[in-house]
Every structure is written in structure tokens, then in C-alpha cells.
Amino acid sequence: MAGIDIFLQNVANGVLMGGVYALIGIGLTLVFGVMRTINFAHGDFVVLGMYSAVLFNALLGWDPYLSLLLAMPIGFLTGVIVERFILSRVIDAPPESALLATLGISLIIGNAILLTFGGEPRSVQVSYASSTFSIAGVNVSMVLLLAGIATVIMIAALYALLNRTEIGRAIRGTAENRLGAELVGIDTRRIHSIVFGLGVMLAVMAGVTLIPLLFATPTNTGAVFTLKAFVVTVLGGLGNVGAAIAGGILLGVVEVLGASYFMSEYREAYGLIAFLLILLFRPEGLFGRTVKRV
Amino acid sequence: MRIAIAAALAATLSVVGAPAQAQVEIGVINSLSGNFAAFGERYRTGLQVALDEINANGGIKGQQLTLSIQDDRSEAKSALAAAESFASKGVPLVIGSYASSITGPLAQFLTRQKVPLIVLGSADDSITKPGSPWVFRAKHNSTIVAKAYFDYFDHLKNTKKDVPLETVAMLYGNGAWPTSLAKEGKRLASERGYKVVGDQAYDQGVTDFRPILNRFRGANADVLYIVSYAEDGVAITRQMREVGLNAKVIAIDTSAALPSFVQQVGESADYVATAVSWSQDVKYPGAQELYERLKAKAGGEPSFYEAEGYLALMVAADALRRADPKSRESVREALAATNITTPVTTVSFKSADGFQGQNPIRSLILQIQDGKHVTVFPEDLAAKPPQHPTPEWSSR
Amino acid sequence: MTKHLIGLGLLLAAGIAYPAIFPNNLTIAISVLLFAGWATSWDLLGGWNGQVSLGHASFVGLGAYFVAIGQSQFGLAPWWTMAMAAAFAAILGYFWGWLTFSLRGPYFSLSTIAVAEILRLVAINEDWLTGGATGVFIATLPEPFGIDLFSRTAQFYMALAFAAVVIATVIVISRARFGFQLRAVREDEDSAMAAGIDPTATKLKAFMLSAALTSIGGGIYGIVLAFIEPHVMFALLLSVQIALTAIIGGRGTIWGPAAGALVLVGAGEMFRTTFAEANMLIYGILILVVVLFVPRGIVGELARRHIRRLYAKRAQS
């Protein structure tokens, strides 16, 4: 392959990986945007989604995409319950309390999975795991494309929810100004529950969608996803959930090009450097509107 | 899915149970929680199988052998706390642990306390090189494993002369084990006339290997020498097929040896080679029977990790039978004089080439053939010949 | 202040007697003391100054590596390398803060994770600097006055001295001008500026001091382990544990971080020896319980009740 073909292939892979990162990040973007808490358990909820797909696959022989039907409502309920019984109690405490609470939740999820499934890495084998097709000389991975489509659908649905519905308006109002939202009669506690429920649901969906592609371990995978999700959130910016796609793609392209043309052992660092640069020089993110110097 | 709570309770009880009279108690430090729990579970199974066997055969000079198992939470400071309690409790020896970041500090501490340590899982050269008179390892190390891989490559090259093997591409995690195995591999490659055409490391947690695999595709390597973490070999293999990275020999260390690898990768797993210290079909007396027992205890497909746990305790029991369990110096001397044959391997500790207390175990190369791990090298221990060369992905 | 100094004296007295009373439980005590020292150092920046860092493992790793490399490559005694590590950590803290102190709240915390992760990758990948992923052994150490620094007793006293010095530093600062500046900046940077305090300079000083102190504890930790690997020493998990210890104990209080170390390390050890593989799950539940029922941290909550009682008494009389 000529240099330019390889470059295009790499960019395409970067964009597709970006879709994966966006998928992992979108739930966090929503939660962080509205509740302003660093949710350390986000990655663990993604892993929880992965294990639910593993479970449905082992027990019922379901394809991961089919198990979304069950995993999504369960994810939403889990989120609502966690918010109601844990996070809502610390929302008015010093901000680090919420961070700490999510750390505790993260430990509990990871270790509960360890006790139930054992420590062995898990994945679901699907027939299309390594399938590709080619567009204009560029090979596209089937599972990556499916994940990308899932990302677009989810973000479109979320966008519609936030902009076209009453509840979406309430969520946006709460995000902009919680006190103001209270004053115009919005029940912000309920909004927080819904938002966290949606956040966990999105995380679980990401996990289910990604299991044919990736792998899960009970305790080390979650932290990796959490970190990626934060990078995506900051790169994209907070004002707009659609920006998660931009953040994800930027991260994917930076990582893939860095690993392709520079030292691959520093792959994670390229994304983090981009993250720092954006944070310092464009604190509202690539497409965000709110300023982050709170 | 296992009934985990019950297992946890059982483990708790076995830890709490105070040693009665006429017992010999050994300290075990194992990773039951945290990042290395997957291995800790397997080691525990192997230890229990060995324990049952030892006690069914009269224990230690008529006394019951018991294990005091402490979890190290996959971190050094907990392992050191456990080691201190064992040292003060007067156990004759300690067995532990998996990661080198835990076993290294453990070896240092127990050497100073003059407590014999039998290494459970850590395979890093650094544990027995330079080593100490108090540290013994019956299982393999980076030097032995890397040599096994390159002996295998040489063997393939010599048996099928029409398939030239000249270039190697290396992909490895940046952990201690992958790095040291890659370092040793690079040394052997240049010593034996292979050209290293790819040399890429990655951080644990990376999920997308396409950039590296695409680089390798341009390099046209005959041999892929991959040292992964337990969890990511699955993704590496899937993506290798996806980008169409072909090689005549594909070796993946660590993850490809796990039974779950075949399950999760499916037929793409075929032809992949991996080095282990033991396998069920190796031509050692008793290997098949040990496999049955490990399988029964594990309630699933066992791997060489269970066998290594079994091996560590068999070595300990043998030394204790020949020593005065009250005297650690006597246990140490007995360990140093070890000369036994087990269904896993023969054991005698040597000091050579800068190593100390290292068993010169023979590593085996397994190849996945039709979804099964098959021993294919060394020839005198192999169950079947290797399938070589690996066909291109497009023709599979 | 005298009250706190007397408290520190009592702690020291108890500490000096400890190895004679519990000669077989030194490792766990060393962990408690090191975490007490680290969390208290962290609290200078995180609690007193309100800048929550999730990257302090970098300084632990830095200290451990200075000691290990200094000893194994250059034959430098640990007291020299610890002093060098502290100086270097302060410089690193300066540049780190200079880069990221324009960020506030959670954004600052996130940036510290990013910087620390980049440093971790450097420590793993740059073999010439750190010896790389396979780690470094400390095989020999000098014997000042015939003391074997490898003995747990000697290491215990080093850790005790470390914790005591850090706590003493915080006691002094809490009453000094600098301590008031720290708190003023924490409460409101703009009003602090109006009162003639330079917030950035204050934060930089706090970060430098916090980093330097943390790295000294890291040096001691390196000696305790005697074999260090970059993954472990620079781990995000360690950074999080340090912050967790201080917050659980009570941020911005003199004794909170130390109390946090006692509770968390102690409970962790107890769970480890009694619950086998479920121990981390129960540890997670413990954290949740503390967050839900003692949101200000252990010492923070006690102090609040104490103040309430004082007010109640005054109101009665």
C-alpha cells in the first residue's frame, strides 16, 4: 500500500475508534454536564454492561445486540436507584463526597463481578468479530462500524430527548442553573435521578455494544474506560452531547495516528496531551458553550 | 458461574481455623482479590489438589499438612504484612505470589528474615537472578520461556526448509513480564540470525491494536512474537485477522494459554502457539491423571497455572519430609537438595548463568489445533507435530 | 496550637514504644504511618488549599525512584537522594501547578490525572531513566551508626519521623500567615485577591511543599519494598488512595488525614485477613458508609459536633 492509502486507513480507523470512545464517553458527558460530579464508577457501569451481555449470551445464547433490550431498562433502573439512595444524599455535601461515593460504587461493582464471574477475562464470540468490508480501498471493521452506528443513534436519540421534550428542557435548565430551575418549578432531584439513570443506561449500552469487539475483566477494565470517558467529555465540551462524538473522534484520530507514526508505547499519552491542551487553551471544549472555569 | 459466596466462606474458614497439634502449617500468599485474581483462583485450585494428595499419602511424616492462605489484594504492601505474620508465626516456609511487583519485595523481605520462599507464579528473571539462598522457583522464567520460543522457531525452520523464517515482529505489553520476555527475545533473535522488523510496546488497557498490526503488515514478518496481558490477546487475534496480518508463525504468550482464549476467539485461534510450563497431553507420567484431578477441583478447564500451584506445594512437601520443619535452615537445605519427579516436571534447584535456586524446567510449546491446546514441542514430549506454516487469513 | 503539639508528642511517645510492644506487626504500622504522612501532605494542597489532586502517586514514585536508582546506580545514601527527590518534587510541583492552576474544581483534578498518567508512561517506557518496566532492586543500603535500614524496626522509625514531621509542619502552618492565605484562597480566590493575596503564588507554594513532603515518604516506601516497579509506584490507584485517605479522615483538619490512614489501612488489613476475596467489596461498602453518614470526614465530623456543643453551652449560659 502506498503511504497515502495507509494514512487514509489510519484516519478511518481513528474515526471508527473515536466512535467507540464517544460511546463510552457520552453517558459521562451527560452526567458531568448536569450534576458536575466526577463519576469514577462510569467505566465500571460500562463493564457491568459487558458482563450482562456475557451472561445473556451464556444463559440464553443471545447476540449482544439482542441483549440490549433487557440491559437498557436494567441499566436505567440501576442508575436511578444509585442516585436516589446514594448520590442524592451527598449532592449538597462538599463536592469530593460525590467523588468518593462513586469510588466506593466502583469498588463494589468491580468486586461483585469478581465474586460472581471470577477473575478470568471475558468476551463474547460473534461470527462477525473480524469481518471487514472495503470502501475505496479502505478496510472498515464490521464491529467498529456497528459500534459507530450505535453511537450515532444514541446521540441522536439523546439530542432529541434534550431538545424536543419537556423533560429535556428541564434537564438543560438544571444543568445551566440548578437554583434557577428550582425557582421555575422544576423538581431538580427528580431530574438528577433521571439524568443519572440515563448516564448508567448509556454506559451499559456502550458495554453491551462493545463486548464483541473488546474484553472485560472485573477490576482493571473499568478504570481505563473511566479515564477515556473523561478525556472525551473534556475534548468535546459540555454544552452539547453531540460534542461527545467530536471529542471521541479527536481522541481516536490522535491516538491512532500517534501510535501509527510515532512511538506506540506512548499511545495513551497522545490523547492525554490533547486533553491537557484543550483543557488549558480552549476550556469550553471543541464545541462546548459553557466555560469550565466554574 | 460459581457459587462464589460459599467459596469465600470456605476460604475464610480455612484461614481462620487454628492449627491443632500434629500439624505442619505452610504460609501461602496469593492474589485472591484485585487485578491478579484470575490467576490467584487457578493457583489456589492447584494448591488444594496437591494438599489433598499429600495428606492422603500420610502428610508430612505422619503429620497433617495445612495451608494458611492469605490474600495479598494484588499489592506488595499487603503481601509484606502477610509475610511478616507468617515469619513471626514460625511457618517452616512460605509460598507466594503471582506478580513480580509483589514477589520481588516478598523475596527481599523473606531472605532477610531467613524464611524459605517457594515462588508460586512470578516468572520474571529478576526473582532468581541474582536470587538468594532462600528463594526457590520450580517454574520457568523469562530466559527459559524465550529460549523455548526460539528453539521452536528454529525447529520449524529446520524441519520445513522450504518455508524460510528470517524476520520477527514483536508486540508486547509494557508490564514486567512482557517486557523481560521481549528483551530476551530480541537478544535471542540477533544471536540466532533472525532480523527484528517490528518492535512495539503498548500500555495495559489498550483496546485497539490496528495501528501496530498495520505497521507489522508493511514489515512482512515471518514470525509474530506477541507477549500480551491475560485479557487482551483476544482483541489482538481478532484484529490481526481483521487487518489481514499474515505470518508463518504466530506466537502469543500468556493469554493464548488460557482455556477461555479458544472459546472467545473461535477458529481464528487455530495455529497460534504459546509457551507453558505444563499441559495435559505432555508425555510425563501422571500428567493426564493430574489433569483429571485439577479439572474436577476447578470445575472447569484447568491450565498450566493450576499445575504450577500444585508443583509449588509438592516441592514444599518433599522438602519438609526430608527436613526438620521446626528449623528453617534445615528446610532451606532440604529445598536446595531437592530432586523429585512430579507429573508437572522434574525439580532440582541449580545455580548457573547468574541464576540461583532456579529449576531448569523445560518449557513446552502448545499450538491450538482445531480448537484444542496441543503440545507440539519439544519433540520428545510432544503429542502431535506442529501445523506449519500458518495459512493466510484469506484462505481460512 | 500547643494542644496539637502535645498531641503530636503523645503520638511520638506511643510510636517510639510501638515496636517493643508489637514487634510482629510493623509492616502494617509502616503502611499506616506512610499513608498518614502522604495524606497529610496531600491535605496541605487538597484540604487547606482546596485543590484536589489525583496525581500524588507521581511524587511517591519520584521519591522511591530517586532512592532506588541513587543507591543501585550511584551508591548514594538514601538521605541524600531523599533530599534531592524533595527538591526535584518541588520543582516538578512548580511547573505542574504553573501549567494547571488556571483550572478550577473538578477540572483541576482531571488535569492532575492526565499529568500523572503521562509521567507514569514516561517512567515505564524510558529505560535509561528508571530501568524500565522490569523494576529496580535495592540490594544494599548504608548502615548509619550501625543501624540496618532494611530492618522493619528502623523503617518503622523512619516512617514515624516522616509522619511526625509532616503533621508538625501542618500544625505550624495552620497558625501561620501562610495557613490563613491557604484557606482564604480555598474559600474564594477573588476575595482573597482583593485582600492582597496572590492566589496562584499561594497555590504554587502549597503544591511544592505538598509534593516535596510526599516524595520523602516515597523514598521510605522504596526502602520498605526494596524492589519497585513503575506501574505500581506511579499508579492512579495509589493517587486515589492518598486522596481518599485524607477525605475520609477529614479534609483541612490537622488530624483528619492521619485518622483516615488509621481507619482505612487498618480496616483494609482486617478485611483482608478475614474476608478472603470479598475483602475489597466490603472495603467499598465501608467507603460508601463513611461518605453517607460522615460526609465531612471522621475528624471533620467530630470537630463540627464539638463546635455545636460549644455553641449550645454558650446559648444556655
Side-chain angles (χ1 to χ4, degrees):
Chain A
M1 268 203 298
I4 185 77
D5 288 343
I6 298 178
F7 180 76
L8 285 178
Q9 177 72 58
N10 284 328
V11 171
N13 284 345
V15 170
L16 287 167
M17 272 316 286
V20 171
Y21 293 148
L23 193 57
I24 294 171
I26 178 169
L28 191 82
T29 304
L30 181 70
V31 170
F32 194 49
V34 177
M35 299 170 72
R36 296 292 150 113
T37 38
I38 297 189
N39 176 10
F40 262 103
H42 182 78
D44 297 279
F45 284 117
V46 176
V47 172
L48 197 64
M50 290 178 143
Y51 274 90
S52 71
V54 168
L55 186 69
F56 290 134
N57 183 265
L59 291 182
L60 309 168
W62 284 8
D63 184 277
Y65 289 99
L66 185 62
S67 52
L68 276 177
L69 288 177
L70 264 180
M72 279 170 57
I74 295 174
F76 182 78
L77 274 178
T78 312
V80 169
I81 291 169
V82 166
E83 205 281 334
R84 262 288 139 83
F85 291 98
I86 299 167
L87 294 180
S88 65
R89 291 166 184 242
V90 294
I91 197 88
D92 294 316
E96 285 68 34
S97 300
L99 182 151
L100 232 57
T102 60
L103 264 178
I105 296 168
S106 154
L107 273 172
I108 292 171
I109 295 175
N111 285 286
I113 293 175
L114 177 68
L115 288 176
T116 332
F117 288 86
E120 199 93 339
R122 296 296 185 110
S123 186
V124 174
Q125 164 68 358
V126 293
S127 54
Y128 46 88
S130 299
S131 317
T132 56
F133 58 90
S134 153
I135 308 172
V138 170
N139 281 318
V140 177
S141 150
M142 194 69 179
V143 268
L144 276 184
L145 187 73
L146 286 175
I149 293 170
T151 312
V152 172
I153 293 174
M154 269 183 227
I155 288 180
L158 196 60
Y159 193 83
L161 175 81
L162 288 179
N163 290 290
R164 298 282 145 81
T165 64
E166 197 57 42
I167 212 141
R169 261 189 287 281
I171 290 174
R172 284 185 295 133
T174 311
E176 303 242 325
N177 186 341
R178 188 175 151 211
L179 203 62
E182 289 271 359
L183 288 176
V184 297
I186 295 172
D187 180 358
T188 59
R189 306 196 68 144
R190 193 170 137 256
I191 294 298
H192 278 174
S193 291
I194 292 172
V195 163
F196 201 78
L198 284 173
V200 172
M201 187 183 84
L202 289 165
V204 167
M205 285 168 79
V208 172
T209 317
L210 293 177
I211 193 72
L213 185 68
L214 305 180
F215 45 82
T217 59
T219 51
N220 12 356
T221 313
V224 175
F225 289 158
T226 303
L227 198 57
K228 285 273 183 276
F230 274 119
V231 176
V232 168
T233 301
V234 169
L235 287 182
L238 295 176
N240 185 343
V241 285
I245 287 201
I249 287 175
L250 180 67
L251 177 63
V253 171
V254 165
E255 277 193 4
V256 168
L257 292 186
S260 301
Y261 296 101
F262 300 102
M263 293 169 287
S264 63
E265 64 267 35
Y266 277 107
R267 176 186 175 121
E268 313 302 280
Y270 304 130
L272 291 169
I273 290 169
F275 168 83
L276 277 176
L277 289 176
I278 292 278
L279 205 51
L280 293 170
F281 296 110
R282 209 182 142 72
E284 65 276 22
L286 279 182
F287 296 93
R289 278 163 298 168
T290 30
V291 174
K292 288 177 185 164
R293 293 172 208 247
V294 192
Chain B
M1 198 163 55
R2 295 167 299 102
I3 304 166
I5 307 297
L9 279 174
T12 311
L13 291 175
S14 73
V15 172
V16 174
Q21 290 301 302
Q23 281 189 344
V24 180
E25 190 185 47
I26 296 181
V28 177
I29 300 169
N30 191 14
S31 302
L32 296 173
S33 62
N35 288 351
F36 309 121
F39 301 101
E41 290 163 14
R42 292 186 177 272
Y43 284 121
R44 189 171 55 189
T45 305
L47 289 165
Q48 279 163 350
V49 168
L51 184 68
D52 293 347
E53 178 182 329
I54 292 160
N55 283 331
N57 294 332
I60 308 295
K61 294 185 267 194
Q63 298 184 5
Q64 184 92 350
L65 182 67
T66 58
L67 300 181
S68 170
I69 301 179
Q70 286 208 23
D71 177 25
D72 63 25
R73 306 172 90 189
S74 303
E75 61 178 30
K77 68 175 164 50
S78 295
L80 288 174
E84 189 186 3
S85 81
F86 285 142
S88 64
K89 257 165 80 181
V91 296
L93 62 88
V94 170
I95 297 175
S97 179
Y98 174 70
S100 60
S101 59
I102 300 168
T103 315
L106 209 54
Q108 295 275 65
F109 176 72
L110 291 173
T111 296
R112 292 203 161 74
Q113 298 291 316
K114 300 198 185 326
V115 180
L117 169 70
I118 298 176
V119 173
L120 180 59
S122 175
D124 233 45
D125 275 355
S126 59
I127 306 297
T128 47
K129 186 181 184 178
S132 106
W134 295 90
V135 177
F136 299 91
R137 177 159 61 191
K139 64 170 285 185
H140 56 219
N141 58 38
S142 340
T143 304
I144 294 173
V145 172
K147 186 169 171 299
Y149 278 117
F150 276 84
D151 286 348
Y152 173 63
F153 303 153
D154 282 350
H155 169 72
L156 294 176
K157 190 155 74 171
N158 294 332
T159 45
K160 272 215 175 140
K161 293 215 159 44
D162 53 321
V163 183
L165 297 180
E166 283 156 5
T167 53
V168 186
M170 299 191 178
L171 165 64
Y172 49 96
N174 61 11
W177 167 252
T179 311
S180 68
L181 200 50
K183 243 185 218 163
E184 191 58 22
K186 273 177 253 180
R187 198 184 64 73
L188 286 172
S190 73
E191 195 179 287
R192 301 188 181 191
Y194 294 87
K195 194 164 166 251
V196 178
V197 294
D199 175 7
Q200 301 287 334
Y202 66 91
D203 196 21
Q204 183 165 25
V206 164
T207 49
D208 168 37
F209 299 90
R210 294 175 188 83
I212 297 175
L213 300 174
N214 273 323
R215 275 181 161 192
F216 284 1
R217 201 159 58 125
N220 263 326
D222 298 322
V223 178
L224 290 179
Y225 180 79
I226 298 170
V227 192
S228 70
Y229 292 99
E231 67 269 23
D232 48 24
V234 171
I236 291 176
T237 314
R238 285 176 185 168
Q239 290 171 24
M240 205 187 296
R241 175 167 209 158
E242 180 194 309
V243 307
L245 172 62
N246 292 305
K248 298 179 185 100
V249 181
I250 301 173
I252 304 181
D253 196 74
T254 307
S255 59
L258 292 170
S260 57
F261 179 79
V262 180
Q263 243 171 299
Q264 292 170 12
V265 181
E267 59 175 22
S268 304
D270 283 349
Y271 299 96
V272 170
T274 188
V276 295
S277 51
W278 178 83
S279 68
Q280 85 173 92
D281 59 359
V282 63
K283 285 188 188 153
Y284 289 143
Q288 183 62 36
E289 190 248 351
L290 175 64
Y291 167 80
E292 304 294 346
R293 280 191 287 150
L294 291 175
K295 191 173 178 177
K297 194 72 154 188
E301 196 63 20
S303 67
F304 75 96
Y305 295 106
E306 282 90 344
E308 288 179 353
Y310 171 86
L311 177 65
L313 192 57
M314 293 310 276
V315 169
D318 166 69
L320 289 172
R321 287 191 192 110
R322 290 181 286 109
D324 167 17
K326 297 268 182 307
S327 154
R328 285 170 179 163
E329 178 58 36
S330 137
V331 173
R332 190 193 68 77
E333 280 166 14
L335 275 168
T338 298
N339 191 355
I340 55 165
T341 302
T342 74
V344 181
T345 182
T346 54
V347 183
S348 64
F349 297 107
K350 298 264 163 34
S351 296
D353 304 326
F355 285 97
Q356 193 177 172
Q358 171 69 48
N359 179 32
I361 185 178
R362 299 177 73 192
S363 278
L364 315 172
I365 302 289
L366 308 186
Q367 189 182 38
I368 299 167
Q369 301 183 350
D370 298 320
K372 282 212 165 65
H373 285 94
V374 179
T375 309
V376 295
F377 186 78
E379 267 182 297
D380 57 321
L381 301 176
K384 279 185 192 170
Q387 293 175 346
H388 176 67
T390 305
E392 301 207 337
W393 292 112
S394 52
S395 61
R396 287 169 72 172
Chain C
M1 180 150 149
T2 28
K3 208 169 61 187
H4 289 304
L5 286 176
I6 292 168
L8 187 62
L10 287 176
L11 180 82
L12 269 175
I16 287 166
Y18 181 89
I21 306 166
F22 301 103
N24 299 324
N25 293 296
L26 293 174
T27 308
I28 187 70
I30 292 170
S31 292
V32 171
L33 289 169
L34 286 178
F35 269 94
W38 287 329
T40 310
S41 313
W42 179 92
D43 201 40
L44 264 176
L45 181 69
W48 296 88
N49 200 208
Q51 309 299 314
V52 174
S53 153
L54 294 173
H56 261 52
S58 303
F59 304 114
V60 173
L62 190 93
Y65 265 92
F66 260 77
V67 168
I69 301 272
Q71 186 66 52
S72 61
Q73 303 276 312
F74 305 103
L76 284 171
W79 43 92
W80 299 122
T81 41
M82 276 190 221
M84 286 158 65
F88 190 80
I91 296 170
L92 179 65
Y94 179 82
F95 284 105
W96 188 332
W98 171 80
L99 188 69
T100 56
F101 272 142
S102 58
L103 301 165
R104 294 191 188 175
Y107 300 101
F108 173 76
S109 305
L110 290 177
S111 76
T112 57
I113 298 182
V115 175
E117 280 291 287
I118 292 170
L119 290 174
R120 181 181 67 86
L121 286 166
V122 170
I124 291 173
N125 291 322
E126 299 306 318
D127 289 24
W128 59 274
L129 189 66
T130 58
T134 42
V136 187
F137 272 103
I138 303 179
T140 54
L141 282 172
E143 297 193 356
F145 314 109
I147 299 167
D148 175 13
L149 294 183
F150 282 116
S151 84
R152 282 283 183 265
T153 315
Q155 292 164 353
F156 172 85
Y157 285 121
M158 283 194 274
L160 180 67
F162 165 64
V165 166
V166 176
I167 293 172
T169 309
V170 172
I171 294 175
V172 172
I173 286 179
S174 71
R175 288 288 156 168
R177 211 181 138 71
F178 181 49
F180 290 106
Q181 291 172 344
L182 287 177
R183 272 167 283 180
V185 170
R186 173 184 70 193
E187 295 310 328
D188 187 344
E189 290 196 19
D190 297 328
S191 335
M193 199 143 39
I197 299 169
D198 179 349
T200 310
T202 309
K203 289 195 276 186
L204 280 175
K205 275 190 230 162
F207 201 171
M208 289 167 74
L209 185 60
S210 173
L213 289 171
T214 306
S215 73
I216 294 173
I220 299 170
Y221 194 39
I223 294 175
V224 172
L225 294 180
F227 172 68
I228 55 173
E229 275 183 19
H231 311 83
V232 187
M233 301 311 292
F234 289 85
L236 174 60
L237 185 68
L238 180 57
S239 295
V240 170
Q241 280 172 345
I242 292 173
L244 180 72
T245 306
I247 299 171
I248 290 267
R251 307 167 54 198
T253 63
I254 289 169
W255 297 99
L262 190 66
V263 169
L264 282 184
V265 179
E269 179 70 4
M270 207 179 76
F271 296 163
R272 181 183 73 77
T273 47
T274 38
F275 295 113
E277 56 267 77
N279 77 79
M280 300 285 272
L281 179 76
I282 294 165
Y283 188 76
I285 295 172
L286 171 79
I287 292 172
L288 263 193
V289 167
V290 174
V291 173
L292 288 181
F293 298 103
V294 200
R296 279 166 194 79
I298 297 159
V299 171
E301 190 66 25
L302 290 177
R304 193 179 66 106
R305 296 211 174 147
H306 181 65
I307 289 169
R308 267 197 184 168
R309 233 175 296 137
L310 282 184
Y311 278 122
K313 262 189 200 159
R314 264 186 223 164
Q316 278 170 8
S317 56

